[in-house]
């Protein structure tokens, strides 16, 4: 096997699933992580180790990475993609929802960084791809806590990039706009959900496909190790905000 191991968190649906399919089609060995193991296994990809891991569980994540490396060799890239979006006005939103987003989108992502960065620095090679959002670059109504988590992803990624650049390790932020996945379905506030549907219709119903975000990840990763595409912000051309 000539291609190196890639780890994808949140590979059970949406952008993570599309990225897993794309990298698999290109012959990369994969470690796929998510809580819905049955969805990972149903992808039925060759050279893919699937593990049920909640990324907020640091011990389980480290264990899965160790297993992946034992099977396929040192990790060359982690795509820290797992995340969730629970929208709502601050006057109404249940604080437990902020906790979940901060735990997964920020602390879980840091767990992913922690699991691989030391080895990458030692090997003087590797790539950390952090999936943020246009919500990491700007703000939107009803997005306060989510925007906070994604601005944190942008900020910590840039600081991490500065830290590991002298060790020849890359940090890449992928920041998509609205994308057709399960992400919007988990918001508990029905008014916000209806608002998203209305907005989508207003812009002509055209938002990114998960495969289009996966392609941006592939493009950034497949540059030579000496080229670090620091950030890609992409959205459907119709998306004005
Ligand atoms: P999906 O809801 O389709 O996918 C989210 C993935 O994250 C699932 O595979 C889910 O797996 C996983 N996940 C959630 N919580 C955990 C957890 N605690 N531990 C492990 N895995 C977890 O949404 P997307 O594909 O859209 O989201 C992927 C990323 O893209 C997110 O970071 C999101 O913020 C970002 N993004 C999405 C946009 C969009 O419009 N869709 C726009 C901008 C950014 P499981 O439930 O099986 O654990």
């Amino acid at each position: 096997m000539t291609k190196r191991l890639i780890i994808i968190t949140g590979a059970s649906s949406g952008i993570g699933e599309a990225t897993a399919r794309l990298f698999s089609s290109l012959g990369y060995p994969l470690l796929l992580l998510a809580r819905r193991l049955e969805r990972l296994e149903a992808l039925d990809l060759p050279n893919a180790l699937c593990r049920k891991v909640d990324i907020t569980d640091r011990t389980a994540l480290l264990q899965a990475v160790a297993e992946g490396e034992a099977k396929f060799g040192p990790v060359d890239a982690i795509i820290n993609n797992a995340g969730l979006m629970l929208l709502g006005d601050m006057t109404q939103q249940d604080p437990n929802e902020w906790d979940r987003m901060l735990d997964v989108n920020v602390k879980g992502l840091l767990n992913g960084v922690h699991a691989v960065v030391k080895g990458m620095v030692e090997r003087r090679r590797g790539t950390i791809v952090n999936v943020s959002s246009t919500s990491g670059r700007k703000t939107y109504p009803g997005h306060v806590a989510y925007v906070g988590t994604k601005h944190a992803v942008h900020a910590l990624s840039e600081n991490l990039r500065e830290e590991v650049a002298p060790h020849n390790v890359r940090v890449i932020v992928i920041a998509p706009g609205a994308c057709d996945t399960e992400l919007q379905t988990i918001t508990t506030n029905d008014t916000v959900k209806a608002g998203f549907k209305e907005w989508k219709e207003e812009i002509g119903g055209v938002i990114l496909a998960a495969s289009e975000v996966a392609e941006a990840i592939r493009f950034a990763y497949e540059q030579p190790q000496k080229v670090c595409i620091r950030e890609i912000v992409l959205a459907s051309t119709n998306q004005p905000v």
Side-chain angles (χ1 to χ4, degrees), residues 9-17 33-40 52-57 80-85 100 103-105 108-109 130-135 146 149-150 153 174-186 196 207-208 210 213 234 239:
T9 70
S12 59
S13 65
I15 294 168
E17 175 184 335
L33 307 176
R35 293 164 304 173
R36 290 171 295 174
L37 181 62
E38 69 289 355
R39 293 271 296 252
L40 298 177
K52 180 183 170 74
V53 169
D54 183 325
I55 59 160
T56 63
D57 181 345
N80 285 310
N81 161 77
L84 76 160
M85 179 175 78
R100 281 177 61 200
D103 284 347
V104 178
N105 298 2
L109 181 139
N130 290 335
V131 178
S132 183
S133 166
T134 49
S135 292
Y146 182 70
T149 65
K150 291 302 187 179
V153 172
I174 302 290
C179 178
D180 198 7
T181 69
E182 295 173 21
L183 193 79
Q184 283 85 15
T185 62
I186 57 168
F196 176 77
I207 59 175
L208 293 173
V213 181
L234 70 159
Q239 179 174 327

Side-chain angles (χ1 to χ4, degrees), residues 3 20-28 215 218 222:
K3 294 203 167 161
R21 288 186 191 280
L22 178 60
F23 279 103
S24 179
S25 73
L26 296 167
Y28 290 93
E215 181 52 36
R218 184 209 61 76
E222 285 198 331

Side-chain angles (χ1 to χ4, degrees), residues 105-190:
N105 298 2
V106 182
K107 291 165 71 178
L109 181 139
L110 280 170
N111 285 339
V113 171
H114 171 69
V116 301
V117 71
K118 193 160 177 278
M120 287 180 176
V121 164
E122 281 166 7
R123 292 189 295 279
R124 293 192 59 78
R125 180 184 171 94
T127 303
I128 295 171
V129 178
N130 290 335
V131 178
S132 183
S133 166
T134 49
S135 292
R137 295 292 303 272
K138 52 197 296 186
T139 60
Y140 301 101
H143 280 57
V144 172
Y146 182 70
V147 153
T149 65
K150 291 302 187 179
H151 273 67
V153 172
H154 266 80
L156 69 85
S157 299
E158 176 59 8
N159 214 157
L160 176 66
R161 191 194 58 73
E162 292 162 359
E163 197 174 303
V164 297
H167 305 285
N168 200 39
V169 174
R170 304 185 295 187
V171 179
I172 296 169
V173 177
I174 302 290
C179 178
D180 198 7
T181 69
E182 295 173 21
L183 193 79
Q184 283 85 15
T185 62
I186 57 168
T187 283
T188 54
N189 183 320
D190 289 336

